[in-house]
Amino acid sequence: MERIPILKMGDFLLVTIQVDLYDQLAENLETDLVNSVKKYESKGVLIDISSVSIIDSFMGRILGNIGMMSKIMGAESVIVGMQPAVAITLVELGLTLTGVSTALNVEKGMDLLRSKIELSDNQSDYDDYDDDTE
Amino acid sequence: MERIPILKMGDFLLVTIQVDLYDQLAENLETDLVNSVKKYESKGVLIDISSVSIIDSFMGRILGNIGMMSKIMGAESVIVGMQPAVAITLVELGLTLTGVSTALNVEKGMDLLRSKIELSDNQSDYDDYDDDTE
């Protein structure tokens, strides 16, 4: 199976990573994800890594890339379900997943996404207000 | 990675099947799923098979089992995201997935689950009413 499925759930996209990411698979995932964000005008991306028990610098970089790409496309992203051992490994390896938010599980991740989106909506409302008064 | 992750989303559970199911993996999935239904008191189970491109009688039986087990535990189940080729294969093989509902994608699957749950809630309300009047 060559592609990781991307599930649309309302304004969000959900990706569950269950297999080891190799170059082509990771590249396909990145392409599919930005295309889906555009297609569905998604506001947030949830990446579930609860079945990932081993993480390396490649995987860390891919997760970071996905976060940045989503951000550029106007969608927030949250990584959910990280196993404790993975968190330990990340810190010990010095991989900090810069710019990527995390949450304990899918539900908390959705809440976090909603609050982020609300915040950025309010921010843009405020910007609009500024423009009007100038 | 030996287990397929089960994601809790409100009253529902979501399972994305991305890898070929072999005996042990399928057995683990069945056990984990019924345990999760109990633990979270879930009302519905969504099984996404959008990355499954080849289906055989074993997989068909597992999907049927999951449906029946969920039903016994009091949760409805819906299979979502079936590829057209898989649907063709199922019919040609004579595998009818008895007792399992299907929907085109996760969102339609959730709608179907909600309507099924509402229906069964109404049904039990009606049963209650009957009991009261007797």
Side-chain angles (χ1 to χ4, degrees):
Chain A
M1 294 168 195
E2 296 150 43
R3 281 170 188 274
I4 294 176
I6 297 169
L7 307 179
K8 177 177 181 285
M9 321 200 64
D11 283 342
F12 302 145
L13 296 176
L14 174 67
V15 182
T16 315
I17 296 176
Q18 296 179 14
V19 290
D20 285 324
L21 290 180
Y22 52 91
D23 290 28
Q24 188 57 49
L25 191 66
E27 202 174 288
N28 285 348
L29 176 61
E30 289 173 354
T31 319
D32 290 350
L33 200 61
V34 287
N35 284 334
S36 299
V37 169
K38 179 167 165 36
K39 185 174 169 190
Y40 300 122
E41 303 186 1
S42 302
K43 292 178 180 169
V45 177
L46 285 158
I47 301 150
D48 172 71
I49 57 166
S50 55
S51 21
V52 174
S53 49
I54 297 166
I55 201 159
D56 54 13
S57 56
F58 176 73
M59 183 81 144
R61 191 162 57 78
I62 296 300
L63 292 176
N65 283 358
I66 288 175
M68 277 189 287
M69 288 175 189
S70 307
K71 189 85 187 171
I72 294 172
M73 297 291 290
E76 300 288 341
S77 61
V78 175
I79 291 174
V80 299
M82 191 183 290
Q83 290 185 16
V86 171
I88 294 169
T89 311
L90 278 178
V91 173
E92 284 183 350
L93 283 179
L95 300 170
T96 48
L97 293 182
T98 326
V100 182
S101 305
T102 51
L104 199 60
N105 56 40
V106 175
E107 291 184 319
K108 288 189 207 297
M110 281 197 169
D111 290 344
L112 180 61
L113 275 181
R114 280 195 199 98
S115 64
K116 279 183 157 209
I117 290 163
E118 205 171 311
L119 202 74
S120 64
D121 281 356
N122 286 348
Q123 188 58 42
S124 53
D125 285 354
Y126 186 74
D127 291 347
D128 290 348
Y129 182 74
D130 267 5
D131 290 344
D132 291 344
T133 53
E134 275 166 9
Chain B
M1 295 167 193
E2 295 150 44
R3 280 171 189 274
I4 294 177
I6 296 169
L7 307 179
K8 177 177 180 286
M9 323 199 64
D11 283 341
F12 302 146
L13 296 176
L14 175 67
V15 182
T16 315
I17 296 176
Q18 296 178 14
V19 290
D20 285 324
L21 290 179
Y22 52 91
D23 290 28
Q24 187 58 48
L25 191 66
E27 202 173 288
N28 286 348
L29 177 61
E30 289 173 353
T31 319
D32 290 350
L33 200 61
V34 287
N35 284 334
S36 299
V37 169
K38 180 167 166 36
K39 185 174 169 192
Y40 300 122
E41 302 186 2
S42 302
K43 290 178 181 169
V45 177
L46 284 158
I47 301 151
D48 173 71
I49 57 167
S50 56
S51 21
V52 174
S53 48
I54 297 166
I55 201 160
D56 55 11
S57 56
F58 176 73
M59 182 82 143
R61 192 162 55 80
I62 296 300
L63 293 176
N65 283 358
I66 289 174
M68 276 189 289
M69 288 173 189
S70 308
K71 190 83 187 172
I72 294 172
M73 297 291 289
E76 299 288 341
S77 62
V78 174
I79 291 174
V80 299
M82 192 183 290
Q83 289 185 18
V86 171
I88 294 170
T89 310
L90 278 177
V91 173
E92 285 183 350
L93 284 179
L95 300 169
T96 47
L97 293 182
T98 325
V100 182
S101 305
T102 52
L104 200 60
N105 56 39
V106 175
E107 290 185 319
K108 287 189 207 296
M110 283 197 168
D111 290 344
L112 181 60
L113 275 181
R114 280 196 199 98
S115 63
K116 278 183 158 207
I117 290 163
E118 205 171 309
L119 202 74
S120 64
D121 280 357
N122 286 349
Q123 187 59 42
S124 52
D125 286 354
Y126 186 74
D127 292 346
D128 291 349
Y129 183 75
D130 267 6
D131 291 345
D132 291 345
T133 53
E134 275 167 9

